[in-house]
């Protein structure tokens, strides 16, 4: 009866929303700083002290949950597939992670010091309205990654099913080859999406043990696969003696391209990391991610590269996809290993989608459309778009297309990360008026809500990279010369040029109205009790983010007079 009652209420609610758009309007929430005529969302408010519980160990757990996924395995493996050696693949991955860790730490400090999310932090540099453009860019990239992670997870699920019922692989294909997907692959995609969907609706803080479980099983699976492949390859030859397939300048530029692809894989997190560091208890713990990300990613890369190199010895080809590698295993022991490896990646993909993609994109939607979308509705919209409207099978159809995809996202995110970091550290000198970030008519309005300096920096950073992106997507264009090699430096060029242009424009045309002598913190709470009101106003003593609190007890009657 309880279940029937729920379905009846759900049906009535859907019928009401189908006939009236106003039925979709969410109850208006009050904000600490936003004007009363501005529709806002409490999730975008300054993080209250009781929710600032993250430490360096929390950051470590977060990166274990986020970095251990199939793309973390495939990216370094695909570097070998395009012609480089295992040494160069490890070098590209390690250096790429260190490159992206730098803006990640700089932007992470914004969240740790100001305790505001990325959509709000971006208003200081892009302007109140133009910040929505930066949010849209991040939203689109999160959607892409969610789509990729979901489709990759369906391959892992195929290994689980085929290990038990091998005939599952023999499902007749009725989809044209031009679509880039088979009937069996689409069936696995539907199953994985249905398994993942209800888990994505669970708040992440209620899935702590799920993330711990994910870290354990993915690490154990990665070590087991690498060790097993080396064992079988040892009698066939030396997996470490393989030579590069490219030489000379082509090899040098390919190394640089692969470095940028490794960095581009985490360009999204380097931009929106304030969404997570806003929960930091202290100011310095977030800097540890500059070590955690390269170490965890390099561990997974080493396991992937070892397994891929051993696969060349055993099977005569580089198998960069872990699900394809597991599908090669037959016999009772092989099928058992295939099932558990597939299961570990199913768990890994769901965990990464939840912590890094769906919640991130849902937060973007709540900041863009707070009147109609909350976190739950945003998660539903994101997973429907990512699972069905996008076509990830066309993106990850080959190693080269995967590297192009990762680098392509980076050229849009690099200038955003550069503007965000340089505005906080070099232009504003860590002195920000936090309450003004919530006021559409406040000091960060700039010109009609647009900071033209950020726009110019974004265009100068992005423009020269577009021909290289077009040439990578469509080699038939035949572009050659420096413009193509500039693409090989895409993230380094995009980030550094954006920083240089944005800081230079602010030196020549300083926006004086946005400067404050000290940080005006968002730590303002009012608690009424008895005949008194306790008002705590916090400001920064020296602009470093250290909070000085002044407590005043004001008699209510005196205040009225």
């Amino acid at each position: 009866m309880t279940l029937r009652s729920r379905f009846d209420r759900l049906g009535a609610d859907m019928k009401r929303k189908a006939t009236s758009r106003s039925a979709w309007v969410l109850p208006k929430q009050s904000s600490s700083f936003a004007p009363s005529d501005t529709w806002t969302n409490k999730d975008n408010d300054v993080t209250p002290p009781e929710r600032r519980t993250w430490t360096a160990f929390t950051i470590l757990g977060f990166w274990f949950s986020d970095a251990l996924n199939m793309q973390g395995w495939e990216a370094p493996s695909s570097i070998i597939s395009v012609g480089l050696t295992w040494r160069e693949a490890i070098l590209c991955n390690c250096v790429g992670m260190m490159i992206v860790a730098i803006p990640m730490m700089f932007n992470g400090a914004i969240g740790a010091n100001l305790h505001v999310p990325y959509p709000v932090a971006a208003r200081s540099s892009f302007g109140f309205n133009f910040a929505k453009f930066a949010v849209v860019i991040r939203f689109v990239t999160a959607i892409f990654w969610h789509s990729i992670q979901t489709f990759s997870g369906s391959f892992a699920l195929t290994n689980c099913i085929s290990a038990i019922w091998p005939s599952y692989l023999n499902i007749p294909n009725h989809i044209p080859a031009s679509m880039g997907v088979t009937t069996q692959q689409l069936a696995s995609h539907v199953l994985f999406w249905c398994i993942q969907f209800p888990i994505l609706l669970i708040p992440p803080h209620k899935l702590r043990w799920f993330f711990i479980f994910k870290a354990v099983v993915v690490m154990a699976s990665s070590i087991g696969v690498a060790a097993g492949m080396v064992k079988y390859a040892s009698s066939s030859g030396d997996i470490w003696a393989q030579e590069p397939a490219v030489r000379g300048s082509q090899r040098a530029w390919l190394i640089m391209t692969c470095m940028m692809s490794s960095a581009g894989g985490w360009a999204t997190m380097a931009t929106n990391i304030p969404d997570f560091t806003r929960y930091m208890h202290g100011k310095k713990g977030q800097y540890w991610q500059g070590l955690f990300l390269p170490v965890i990613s390099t561990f997974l890369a080493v396991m992937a590269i070892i397994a891929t190199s051993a696969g060349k010895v055993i099977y005569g080809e580089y198998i960069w996809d872990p699900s394809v590698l597991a599908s090669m295993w037959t016999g009772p022991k092989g099928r058992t290993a295939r099932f558990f490896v597939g299961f570990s990646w199913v768990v890994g993909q769901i965990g990464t989608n939840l912590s890094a993609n769906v919640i991130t994109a849902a937060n973007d939607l709540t900041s863009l459309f707070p009147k109609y979308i909350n976190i739950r509705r945003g998660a539903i919209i994101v997973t429907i778009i990512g699972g069905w409207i996008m076509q990830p099978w066309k993106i990850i159809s080959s190693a080269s297309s995967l590297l192009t995809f990762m680098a392509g996202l980076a050229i849009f995110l690099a200038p955003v990360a550069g503007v965000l970091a340089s505005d906080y550290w070099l232009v504003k000198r860590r002195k920000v008026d936090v309450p003004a970030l919530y006021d559409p008519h406040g000091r960060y309005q700039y010109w009609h809500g647009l900071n033209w300096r950020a726009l110019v920096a974004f265009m100068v950073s992005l423009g020269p990279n577009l021909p290289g992106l077009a040439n990578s997507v469509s080699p038939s264009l035949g572009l050659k010369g420096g413009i193509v090699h500039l693409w090989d430096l895409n993230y380094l060029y995009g980030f550094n040029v954006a920083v240089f242009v944005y800081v230079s424009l602010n030196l020549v045309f300083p926006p004086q109205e946005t400067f404050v002598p000290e940080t005006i913190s968002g730590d303002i709470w009012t608690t009424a009790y008895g005949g008194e009101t306790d008002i705590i106003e916090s400001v920064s003593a020296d602009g470093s983010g250290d909070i000085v609190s002044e407590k005043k007890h004001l008699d209510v009657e005196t205040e009225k007079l």
Side-chain angles (χ1 to χ4, degrees):
M1 293 299 294
T2 302
L3 189 61
R4 174 180 291 182
S5 176
R6 286 188 176 183
F7 275 110
D8 290 341
R9 289 199 303 269
L10 179 62
D13 184 56
M14 292 303 297
K15 183 180 295 184
R16 181 170 56 89
K17 290 177 178 178
T19 57
S20 174
R21 191 178 72 171
S22 61
W24 290 93
V25 176
L26 295 167
K28 189 172 183 179
Q29 296 178 328
S30 60
S31 171
S32 300
F33 304 115
S36 57
D37 60 342
T38 301
W39 208 289
T40 185
N41 193 299
K42 294 183 71 173
D43 291 327
N44 285 328
D45 259 357
V46 175
T47 305
E50 64 271 14
R51 297 179 64 186
R52 301 175 192 172
T53 58
W54 282 36
T55 63
F57 289 104
T58 312
I59 290 290
L60 176 62
F62 171 79
W63 281 114
F64 266 120
S65 172
D66 202 4
L68 297 175
N69 56 65
M70 290 179 69
Q71 277 60 49
W73 179 289
E74 292 171 351
S77 297
S78 61
I79 293 175
I80 296 180
S81 299
V82 296
L84 298 180
T85 67
W86 64 269
R87 296 180 184 87
E88 292 160 342
I90 293 177
L91 174 68
C92 291
N93 183 83
C94 188
V95 175
M97 292 301 103
M98 288 190 288
I99 289 173
V100 78
I102 294 174
M104 193 173 294
M105 290 187 294
F106 283 145
N107 288 329
I110 300 175
N113 292 336
L114 304 182
H115 303 289
V116 296
Y118 163 74
V120 174
R123 296 169 183 171
S124 172
S125 51
F126 286 87
F128 193 92
N129 294 328
F130 191 44
K132 295 178 181 178
F133 172 74
V135 172
V136 168
I137 292 177
R138 198 273 302 264
F139 169 75
V140 172
T141 56
I143 284 285
F144 266 105
W145 274 119
H146 173 59
S147 180
I148 294 293
Q149 302 278 15
T150 299
F151 191 62
S152 298
S154 68
F155 283 101
L157 183 61
T158 297
N159 282 330
C160 293
I161 298 174
S162 63
I164 302 174
W165 299 286
S167 60
Y168 179 74
L169 297 174
N170 300 325
I171 295 177
N173 180 40
H174 300 288
I175 299 178
S178 59
M179 293 296 295
V181 66
T182 66
T183 301
Q184 180 268 312
Q185 292 170 347
L186 193 59
S188 295
H189 184 62
V190 172
L191 290 173
F192 181 84
W193 189 87
C194 291
I195 293 171
Q196 177 181 248
F197 180 74
I199 301 177
L200 296 180
L201 300 182
I202 302 175
H205 67 272
K206 295 183 179 181
L207 294 170
R208 176 171 175 263
W209 289 105
F210 175 80
F211 291 125
I212 295 176
F213 176 69
K214 170 197 167 173
V216 172
V217 298
V218 173
M219 290 180 65
S221 172
S222 301
I223 295 173
V225 170
M229 293 298 293
V230 169
K231 177 182 177 181
Y232 283 105
S234 60
S235 60
S236 302
D238 187 2
I239 65 174
W240 310 113
Q242 297 162 14
E243 297 294 326
V246 291
R247 303 285 180 180
S249 61
Q250 182 184 359
R251 180 184 179 188
W253 285 113
L254 184 58
I255 289 174
M256 187 59 66
T257 299
C258 292
M259 283 184 185
M260 295 303 101
S261 294
S262 295
W266 294 105
T268 304
M269 291 301 299
T271 304
N272 72 276
I273 192 64
D275 279 342
F276 303 96
T277 57
R278 64 184 291 202
Y279 299 105
M280 293 297 299
H281 178 68
K283 304 295 187 296
K284 298 181 179 180
Q286 69 91 19
Y287 290 107
W288 280 99
Q289 62 186 328
L291 174 65
F292 294 154
L293 175 60
V295 169
I296 296 173
S297 297
T298 301
F299 158 77
L300 189 60
V302 170
M303 298 298 105
I305 290 166
I306 291 174
T308 303
S309 299
K312 172 68 172 178
V313 175
I314 300 172
Y315 305 113
E317 61 177 326
Y318 290 116
I319 304 176
W320 57 279
D321 189 329
S323 59
V324 175
L325 182 64
S327 68
M328 306 291 288
W329 305 336
T330 58
K333 292 182 179 180
R335 287 169 57 184
T336 301
R338 189 200 312 172
F339 174 85
F340 283 107
V341 169
F343 174 75
S344 69
W345 288 122
V346 167
V347 173
Q349 296 304 96
I350 294 176
T352 297
N353 262 334
L354 180 62
S355 62
N357 299 325
V358 173
I359 298 301
T360 293
N363 270 321
D364 291 338
L365 288 178
T366 61
S367 67
L368 293 171
F369 309 103
K371 187 174 182 178
Y372 297 99
I373 299 177
N374 55 21
I375 292 293
R376 188 180 183 87
R377 289 181 182 179
I380 294 173
I381 294 172
V382 167
T383 194
I384 290 176
I385 295 175
W388 303 111
I389 297 178
M390 312 299 291
Q391 296 187 35
W393 42 84
K394 292 187 178 294
I395 299 175
I396 62 174
S397 58
S398 67
S400 59
S401 64
L402 176 65
L403 294 176
T404 301
F405 163 74
M406 294 171 65
L409 293 183
I411 70 169
F412 294 96
L413 292 167
V416 176
V419 169
L420 198 67
S422 60
D423 179 80
Y424 181 71
W425 288 91
L426 301 177
V427 176
K428 302 298 194 308
R429 302 297 178 94
R430 296 181 293 170
K431 299 173 183 178
V432 178
D433 182 354
V434 175
L437 294 173
Y438 294 86
D439 187 357
H441 308 292
R443 69 172 73 248
Y444 300 116
Q445 182 185 15
Y446 292 98
W447 181 76
H448 298 289
L450 165 68
N451 183 5
W452 63 268
R453 304 161 189 83
L455 175 60
V456 172
F458 180 85
M459 297 305 297
V460 172
S461 172
L462 175 65
N465 267 321
L466 291 178
L469 174 61
N471 189 68
S472 296
V473 175
S474 301
S476 59
L477 294 175
L479 298 180
K480 296 180 180 180
I483 196 69
V484 175
H485 292 318
L486 184 62
W487 162 256
D488 296 329
L489 302 169
N490 56 77
Y491 193 82
L492 277 177
Y493 170 84
F495 180 82
N496 288 298
V497 167
V499 170
F500 176 78
V501 173
Y502 183 75
V503 173
S504 299
L505 289 175
N506 277 276
L507 289 175
V508 178
F509 308 101
Q512 297 290 350
E513 71 280 4
T514 67
F515 297 147
V516 292
E518 307 294 342
T519 290
I520 303 176
S521 172
D523 295 337
I524 301 177
W525 302 280
T526 302
T527 306
Y529 58 92
E532 296 181 330
T533 298
D534 179 24
I535 302 178
I536 303 177
E537 297 181 353
S538 302
V539 298
S540 173
D542 57 2
S544 64
D546 296 328
I547 300 300
V548 177
S549 299
E550 178 182 3
K551 189 174 183 181
K552 299 177 181 179
H553 296 280
L554 303 176
D555 184 82
V556 173
E557 297 302 323
T558 304
E559 184 70 4
K560 289 181 179 179
L561 293 174

